[in-house]
Amino acid sequence: MSANWDEWVEAALSKLESLKLLRSLRPINVSNNSSNFDGHAYHVFDSLRQWDRTSVEVTISDSTFRNWLNDIPSCGAIEVPKGEEGNVVGKSCSRSGKKLLLFSGNDYLGLSAHPTIRMAAAKAAQEHGMGPRGSALICGYTDYHGHLEASLAELKKKEDCLLCPTGFAANMAFIVAVGSIASLSASGRIPARAEKVAVFSDALNHASIIDGLRLGERLHCIETFVYRHCDMSHLDALLSDCTISKKVVVTDSLFSMDGDFAPMTELAKLRKKHSFLLVIDDAHGTFTCGEGGGGVAQEFDCESDVDICIGTLSKAAGCTGGFIACSKRWKQLVMSRGRSFIFSTAMPIPMAAAAHAATFVAEKEGWRRKAIQERVQDFRDLTGIPITSHIVSIIVGSEEKSLLASRHMLKSGFHVTAIRPPTVPPNSCRLRITLSAAHTRKDVKKLADALSRCINFQDIDVENTELLAKL
Ligand SMILES: Cc1ncc(COP(=O)(O)O)c(C=O)c1O
């Protein structure tokens, strides 16, 4: 991190201390067995097992299937499939409904059903229930949370880590906290322009980053500069023109809707040139990328160039929750100023226990990352589409075309969602396909066959991964 940023954080913390606004975590020890956390209790496996299929095989009722085909809006009431005698599923009746193969979830390693992770959650629930319910600053933070933070800090090669209720909350908390540096150092009540924090944000960043920036602007702390997607010349020019000294660049590391990687090496070079704080949202890269699952920065060998790594436990870890891996001083600042952290209940103990087990399993079961890469290669071989990650974005254009394609896939037995505005810009509606370690080559072959009946693979626009729909 640039020396300036260290100084600004120190000054903000001193100011908070003088105002008696510095906050602390006070872990409550609920576990009397620290061996819970050293990995001894965790079993790992060396290949795909039957339970992994739970994360990609689902059933929906016949009426839900019909509603989806006809795009009938629903509030999600679940219709319990009935057996011949009308018994509830799980008693004596057979399960009816439509079986689908999911190519739409974010459980990239297939860990949500892993026995070690189930066991960790179940054991913690048996022993502690949900644990103390309250914000982490009041009574919601336990030794389970502390151990999870330590394992995530180690994974991300950072000094420390702060858990948040979700990844969305983590991005909001960090951005509001970084903006608070402007208000804490301002000479007047409202920061003057030069005292603000200039945040440079990729045009395709996740909604939680955008909302955090909107809030920071509303609080008169942040001025936002949006650079064209992954366009480093544009970013360089914006940075060079900007007279605000406190500069931050924030980017998704692997873009959730497009499946492309941020240009990490170029970002690291620009960071040296302009001394900005580099913040990445590694929601889709954590556990899936890098040799040990350390994420996109590990994959691109630039972990030390990333100052702050934000992530989620709701995707490849198969759990839920968010985190900010950073220095101890940054952690103190976010704990004291990040409102979506401060004013929200801490994650339940079983979830912290499950995520801790998932962190361990994800690192040890490296074959899962290899399996994802193999599925990516299978998809490339079968379709000729030069995808670079496990998130496949097939742009079909209009909303109507994307819905037709998604309906065709549904009829063929695949859950592949059509992504439409406001998630993506108008006329760039797409099919978003996600590949997981729980998929087999056979699954990808069947998917490609079904896709080939609604998409012309040869008409691909490689630049935009854009395809012409046959429908
Ligand atoms: C890039 C990115 N960041 C953050 C989030 C939010 O994570 P969570 O689902 O844990 O709130 C998501 C999830 O949709 C995401 O795709």
Side-chain angles (χ1 to χ4, degrees):
M1 194 191 308
S2 88
N4 282 344
W5 270 108
D6 285 344
E7 284 162 23
W8 293 324
V9 173
E10 283 310 321
L13 289 171
S14 305
K15 184 77 184 279
L16 285 172
E17 196 167 12
S18 71
L19 296 169
K20 300 204 181 330
L21 287 173
L22 260 193
R23 297 288 174 253
S24 313
L25 293 169
R26 297 183 186 83
I28 294 170
N29 281 354
V30 293
S31 161
N32 51 18
N33 184 0
S34 66
S35 69
N36 274 349
F37 304 109
D38 66 8
H40 273 100
Y42 297 149
H43 291 289
V44 289
F45 302 87
D46 57 7
S47 60
L48 199 68
R49 306 291 168 95
Q50 191 48 40
W51 60 71
D52 287 307
R53 298 296 288 174
T54 314
S55 69
V56 290
E57 288 175 349
V58 295
T59 307
I60 59 172
S61 74
D62 293 325
S63 66
T64 299
F65 180 64
R66 279 192 301 274
N67 288 349
W68 285 6
L69 280 184
N70 298 315
D71 203 24
I72 296 172
S74 150
C75 289
I78 289 279
E79 194 189 299
V80 180
K82 299 260 172 61
E84 267 157 39
E85 291 94 36
N87 290 336
V88 173
V89 168
K91 298 265 172 72
S92 61
C93 64
S94 64
R95 183 180 277 268
S96 65
K98 174 92 178 152
K99 282 202 168 75
L100 295 176
L101 200 51
L102 279 189
F103 273 94
S104 52
N106 298 322
D107 183 7
Y108 303 122
L109 295 182
L111 291 186
S112 62
H114 194 288
T116 302
I117 296 159
R118 291 182 195 207
M119 194 74 84
K123 186 166 176 288
Q126 287 282 0
E127 287 175 13
H128 312 289
M130 294 301 122
R133 299 292 68 218
S135 155
L137 294 181
I138 307 288
C139 63
Y141 186 88
T142 69
D143 47 346
Y144 280 89
H145 300 82
H147 283 285
L148 174 56
E149 285 180 345
S151 63
L152 290 167
E154 197 183 325
L155 177 79
K156 294 294 184 181
K157 301 207 181 69
K158 294 285 173 261
E159 198 184 6
D160 212 331
C161 178
L162 182 70
L163 289 179
C164 291
T166 61
F168 201 107
N171 274 328
M172 294 286 287
F174 181 77
I175 292 169
V176 166
V178 88
S180 77
I181 292 182
S183 52
L184 289 165
S185 63
S187 42
R189 204 175 55 83
I190 293 176
R193 181 168 186 266
E195 291 171 324
K196 288 186 181 181
V197 176
V199 183
F200 300 80
S201 174
D202 188 287
L204 296 189
N205 274 345
H206 187 256
S208 51
I209 296 176
I210 296 169
D211 285 7
L213 291 172
R214 284 180 182 156
L215 189 51
E217 285 174 353
R218 179 87 200 274
L219 297 168
H220 307 288
C221 294
I222 286 178
E223 185 162 330
T224 305
F225 300 82
V226 177
Y227 59 92
R228 286 189 294 273
H229 178 52
C230 290
D231 185 338
M232 294 297 100
S233 313
H234 190 209
L235 174 60
D236 191 15
L238 288 174
L239 285 160
S240 302
D241 286 350
C242 179
T243 52
I244 298 174
S245 53
K246 299 183 190 82
K247 294 183 176 70
V248 176
V249 171
V250 60
T251 180
D252 283 19
S253 56
L254 171 54
F255 287 86
S256 54
M257 291 299 140
D258 291 67
D260 54 342
F261 289 98
M264 296 301 298
T265 314
E266 289 86 338
L267 280 165
K269 277 193 202 138
L270 282 183
R271 175 176 170 272
K272 288 203 173 70
K273 179 174 169 192
H274 295 282
S275 300
F276 53 74
L277 187 84
L278 179 56
V279 181
I280 63 167
D281 175 354
D282 207 15
H284 297 271
T286 300
F287 304 117
T288 58
C289 297
E291 209 192 327
V296 172
Q298 187 182 45
E299 179 90 34
F300 285 82
D301 198 17
C302 61
E303 284 165 300
S304 58
D305 297 300
V306 171
D307 299 296
I308 312 285
C309 183
I310 296 170
T312 174
L313 300 162
S314 65
K315 303 191 191 296
C319 299
T320 191
F323 65 88
I324 304 165
C326 57
S327 70
K328 286 198 183 302
R329 300 304 270 162
W330 267 110
K331 177 173 176 173
Q332 261 188 310
L333 185 72
V334 182
M335 270 163 47
S336 304
R337 295 280 87 186
R339 291 166 65 84
S340 55
F341 162 80
I342 299 169
F343 297 104
S344 198
T345 302
M347 71 169 68
I349 285 180
M351 195 50 71
H356 187 270
T359 306
F360 183 89
V361 171
E363 199 222 319
K364 298 287 177 224
E365 295 191 3
W367 60 267
R368 289 183 186 267
R369 270 180 294 285
K370 201 160 160 273
I372 296 181
Q373 284 160 16
E374 285 165 5
R375 298 300 76 84
V376 170
Q377 187 59 47
D378 291 340
F379 191 90
R380 273 198 293 257
D381 294 346
L382 290 160
T383 63
I385 305 174
I387 60 166
T388 53
S389 80
H390 48 280
I391 301 175
V392 182
S393 177
I394 301 181
I395 300 176
V396 294
S398 70
E399 207 156 333
E400 200 194 349
K401 278 183 182 168
S402 70
L403 286 174
L404 274 175
S406 159
R407 246 172 253 154
H408 163 80
M409 294 308 287
L410 190 60
K411 279 189 215 153
S412 313
F414 297 96
H415 190 287
V416 169
T417 30
I419 309 285
R420 298 175 278 160
T423 311
V424 293
N427 276 323
S428 76
C429 299
R430 63 198 66 191
L431 291 184
R432 179 178 183 267
I433 296 166
T434 50
L435 303 171
S436 142
H439 290 129
T440 61
R441 181 178 159 81
K442 214 164 134 194
D443 294 333
V444 179
K445 169 91 179 66
K446 282 197 247 165
L447 175 90
D449 286 347
L451 276 174
S452 71
R453 290 193 288 277
C454 67
I455 303 279
N456 288 321
F457 295 147
Q458 67 278 14
D459 291 340
I460 185 169
D461 170 352
V462 176
E463 276 294 290
N464 299 311
T465 336
E466 188 166 346
L467 300 179
L468 298 178
K470 277 181 181 170
L471 299 166

